[in-house]
Amino acid sequence: MFILVNGLIAGLGLAAFLALGDGLFDTQTFPVLIDLSYVPGMENLPSIVELLIHLLISVIIAFFLMHFYPRERGAGSFKYLGIWMLGFAVAFLPFSLLSNTPMTWLAFLIWVLGHLLYTIMLAIQVGRNR
């Protein structure tokens, strides 16, 4: 239950941050996050269904991030979270290309900051739970 709740909260936080960034800076990071039109059979899903799928993926990611989180505090935790952040940052390129959305440095920055927020939210909850 802990992972489910925290995965949903962090996923909603990420979605809200990207939507806010899109509204403020006219970028297209939120559609990159939820777009599934490139998956066969999911071309015409309503946005709310795409968001729910994103939240399911968020819970799965939260499970793995929290399950394998290093027991010791310090440099090991930062390295572990840094690897997750690198993965999230790299994911922007293929998802942008698949979603046919314009790639800009500003959109990439918002994407990275949003995923940093996501990672920090989960790391804080792991720290509080231990």
Side-chain angles (χ1 to χ4, degrees):
M1 188 64 140
F2 173 78
I3 290 174
L4 175 66
V5 169
N6 286 293
L8 290 173
I9 291 171
L12 285 170
L14 171 60
F17 182 86
L18 295 182
L20 178 65
D22 288 351
L24 292 174
F25 301 106
D26 196 29
T27 55
Q28 295 294 313
T29 56
F30 183 73
V32 171
L33 184 72
I34 66 168
D35 182 33
L36 294 171
S37 62
Y38 50 85
V39 178
M42 296 189 172
E43 296 88 0
N44 298 313
L45 290 176
S47 294
I48 189 70
V49 174
E50 291 179 325
L51 178 61
L52 292 172
I53 292 170
H54 156 72
L55 293 175
L56 174 64
I57 292 168
S58 175
V59 170
I60 293 168
I61 289 172
F63 169 79
F64 285 105
L65 190 145
M66 294 173 149
H67 186 72
F68 295 107
Y69 197 87
R71 298 283 177 210
E72 73 280 348
R73 296 182 188 265
S77 297
F78 285 112
K79 182 179 177 183
Y80 178 76
L81 295 174
I83 291 169
W84 276 96
M85 279 304 305
L86 180 62
F88 291 141
V90 169
F92 181 73
L93 177 64
F95 289 140
S96 289
L97 291 173
L98 289 169
S99 299
N100 292 319
T101 57
M103 291 184 289
T104 65
W105 285 110
L106 181 58
F108 178 71
L109 177 64
I110 292 170
W111 178 270
V112 169
L113 289 175
H115 283 82
L116 179 62
L117 174 69
Y118 175 83
T119 304
I120 289 171
M121 289 172 70
L122 291 175
I124 288 170
Q125 290 307 313
V126 169
R128 286 184 180 169
N129 192 43
R130 292 200 175 165

